[in-house]
Amino acid sequence: MLRYFIPIPKTKKIVLGNVFKFTQTDKKKGTKTELNISLSRKQVEDSIDRSSHGVEAIVREDLVRIKAYIILLRSVIDHMNKPCNQEISNRFIKDLKIRWSSGLTLACKSSNGLSLASIFKSSAPFFQSKDMLFELHMILFIYALKLREKAMVLVSKADMVESTKAYREAAGVFNYVSNKIDHRDWSYIEKFPELTSPVCSSLTLICLAEGQAATANKAEEKGTSASLVAKLHYGVTQFVAEANASLLSKTNTQVKHLSSRFLDYVRTLGALHELKSGKHLAESLESEGELGEAIGVLRRTLARAKMTTQCRDDTWKSIFKKEREQVTTMMNKYECLNKTMMLQRIPVEADLPTLQGDKIVKLIPYVDG
């Protein structure tokens, strides 16, 4: 499978506890606990600054830290919104400096192909806000990225079932964030794709596409029929097409700020699985005795692959090239068989069966708290 670790947004340190303190009451136990939001925030900062290098234990620890901070952050925001805390909230907001930089605008690449926080130390601009919901939004966005990272780690361990689940969870968080953006006005913060609904919606679909890709690969391993595998692979392409439509929508002015590497990945992912779908459809047709149609499908598939803009990443290029060579070998084999034995007519493109998709991966809704 193709892999692309989206760079995690960077942040500046905030010492929240020095200016804003609350106690949380547990009515069942009758105890009070001071909310140490500064410590929780510091742990999240540490998680952002370090690279997991695809180590599952580190990713899981990061997720636990981020989830704990989200719960604490929601509690603080609830306290701030209480009328009795209005005065201290106003004083707190006056001194608040929440600063984040975008990760999606950085076209960076590491030596091992992982684009993570540790590998981009460029002078990306930081954007400042006094809105605690801006902080919550960015933390949720990072939580989704970390779930996606967990999914990719599990793919590398060939745990396709748990990987697909993690992709579905990531899609659910991105979808939640996308829907929440519609009710906020952050237009004053420019050049920040993470704050736009079209970008978050596209990331929802990309996670579903990646989960579907893991499902398609698992189906291949289990020996599922070629016709069904072809539909699963084309389902990936359909998800990607929807993601592209969201990214390139006329209402999305942020697409021009997205890194070329990110856009490259999206294009390559869709093209690769279209290639795979064509290969398996041809295999299904050949097994049914329709060798002429199978050859026609393979020719069309290779022609489509040549039209695809070549990606600049060497690893992705190698994966795409290997798949194209397999399709070429299959086509040559079928053409030889047809010339010597079957002698079937090869239909014109208009008469060839079209690729059909079956999108079976659904997001897991993210629930507050």
Side-chain angles (χ1 to χ4, degrees), residues 271-289:
L272 175 65
H273 286 275
E274 183 176 352
L275 187 59
K276 286 175 173 283
S277 178
K279 179 180 74 174
H280 288 287
L281 175 59
E283 182 184 343
S284 174
L285 289 168
E286 190 274 336
S287 68
E288 295 170 358

Side-chain angles (χ1 to χ4, degrees), residues 71-83:
I71 294 170
L72 200 53
L73 196 54
R74 289 190 189 281
S75 182
V76 168
I77 291 171
D78 287 342
H79 278 295
M80 288 175 63
N81 291 333
K82 291 179 179 178

